[in-house]
Amino acid sequence: MAYRYDPDLEFLEKIDSVDLNDLVSCLTHDKDGSARLTEELTGTELFKKHHPDHHQYWELIAAEIQCFGANTFVTLFRGGKGVEYREILIDVCDKMKVNYNKDSSVEVIENNLLLKVLKDALDKMPADELRKLAESVGMKNIHLFTPESMLGVFQAVFRAGGFKSYQLTLVIVNAILKAMIGRGLSFAGNAALTRSVAVLTGPIGWAITGAWTAVDIASAAYRVTIPAVIQIAALRQKHLYGRQADDISFS
């Protein structure tokens, strides 16, 4: 296993070890907590020496993601370098039937993936739940609570970036992961960030269950790459929001 330089994963170098816990757990353990037979990370000398200080071997974490992605593409040389993250993300989006522009940045494509999940959830939510969801993430003066209008609002939130985009990402990712792997993000415990999780968990869980069943049958590698991509999207938003907050504090 060797890391292929990947501009879309380089930000992991800036992520604290504690925030990498969920991603490492996803790569090394199944949903039931048993060790993955195909993972290589825990057998490396750096992992054995520094675990759980994940920051010390972030490149190996990235390499493991790339190699699981290579499995998805039926790459013959499992022990070598995998594929770049963009290719993995696009493969996941194709599997989940996400509408995206392949020339967009990975951040935009990740947001399209999350919006697809959110759209499926919104379509199942009655008007009173849509209203609660809007209020829980601080949206006011919304007079027409329909899935279409709400999705438009959330698209605008993602485009604007900042705290609201970060909050919405964590809420969606937390609910998705609970539905997929039985546990949410450990760094999403801040009540100000996740107070709308209770509103979203049910609908997103229903939307994911059907899609997850089909994906699960298709390939075991997707059991890793889909939740890994979802978690990387959350880590990226956390990183971007942190940089924005630092820029404001020093301006």
Side-chain angles (χ1 to χ4, degrees):
M1 179 177 67
Y3 173 60
R4 178 193 296 273
Y5 171 76
D6 192 334
D8 296 317
L9 290 180
E10 285 286 303
F11 82 98
L12 292 177
E13 183 182 10
K14 304 293 196 300
I15 304 299
D16 293 337
S17 291
V18 66
D19 289 342
L20 290 170
N21 277 335
D22 297 320
L23 181 57
V24 171
S25 178
C26 169
L27 295 172
T28 59
H29 291 80
D30 290 324
K31 182 177 181 179
D32 61 5
S34 59
R36 294 192 187 280
L37 298 178
T38 54
E39 65 89 13
E40 298 180 44
L41 179 61
T42 60
T44 64
E45 290 303 316
L46 280 176
F47 183 93
K48 293 175 181 177
K49 180 179 179 179
H50 296 291
H51 179 268
D53 187 6
H54 308 307
H55 179 76
Q56 297 291 333
Y57 44 86
W58 72 268
E59 287 183 325
L60 292 178
I61 296 172
E64 187 80 295
I65 296 166
Q66 292 173 332
C67 286
F68 272 114
N71 259 1
T72 302
F73 298 101
V74 201
T75 298
L76 296 176
F77 303 101
R78 176 62 181 87
K81 293 183 178 180
V83 297
E84 291 187 354
Y85 174 73
R86 169 180 283 273
E87 194 170 349
I88 299 169
L89 172 62
I90 286 175
D91 183 62
V92 166
C93 285
D94 288 342
K95 179 58 62 176
M96 303 301 290
K97 296 180 171 56
V98 176
N99 184 24
Y100 65 91
N101 182 335
K102 65 181 179 63
D103 296 322
S104 296
S105 68
V106 295
E107 180 189 354
V108 170
I109 297 175
E110 286 169 346
N111 287 346
N112 287 343
L113 173 60
L114 297 180
L115 281 169
K116 170 61 165 61
V117 177
L118 185 58
K119 179 182 182 300
D120 290 343
L122 293 174
D123 287 342
K124 300 178 184 299
M125 295 174 70
D128 61 327
E129 288 190 356
L130 290 172
R131 178 181 55 77
K132 291 177 184 177
L133 174 59
E135 293 174 349
S136 69
V137 292
M139 297 178 184
K140 301 178 181 178
N141 302 320
I142 300 177
H143 305 291
L144 185 61
F145 293 103
T146 65
E148 293 77 17
S149 63
M150 290 296 296
L151 187 64
V153 171
F154 289 131
Q155 286 174 327
V157 169
F158 273 130
R159 284 195 296 268
F163 176 77
K164 287 299 180 184
S165 177
Y166 174 42
Q167 178 191 36
L168 184 58
T169 296
L170 289 192
V171 166
I172 298 171
V173 168
N174 208 49
I176 293 172
L177 292 178
K178 283 185 177 180
M180 284 188 166
I181 62 176
R183 59 186 182 275
L185 290 168
S186 61
F187 65 81
N190 189 314
L193 293 174
T194 58
R195 56 179 175 241
S196 54
V197 166
V199 181
L200 275 174
T201 299
I204 283 189
W206 303 331
I208 283 295
T209 298
W212 178 249
T213 300
V215 170
D216 198 21
I217 294 172
S219 170
Y222 285 114
R223 300 173 197 169
V224 180
T225 56
I226 293 178
V229 163
I230 295 295
Q231 293 187 62
I232 289 170
L235 289 170
R236 193 185 312 280
Q237 285 300 317
K238 188 176 193 297
H239 174 62
L240 292 173
Y241 175 66
R243 285 173 51 188
Q244 291 173 354
D246 288 342
D247 289 343
I248 293 173
S249 65
F250 286 105
S251 61

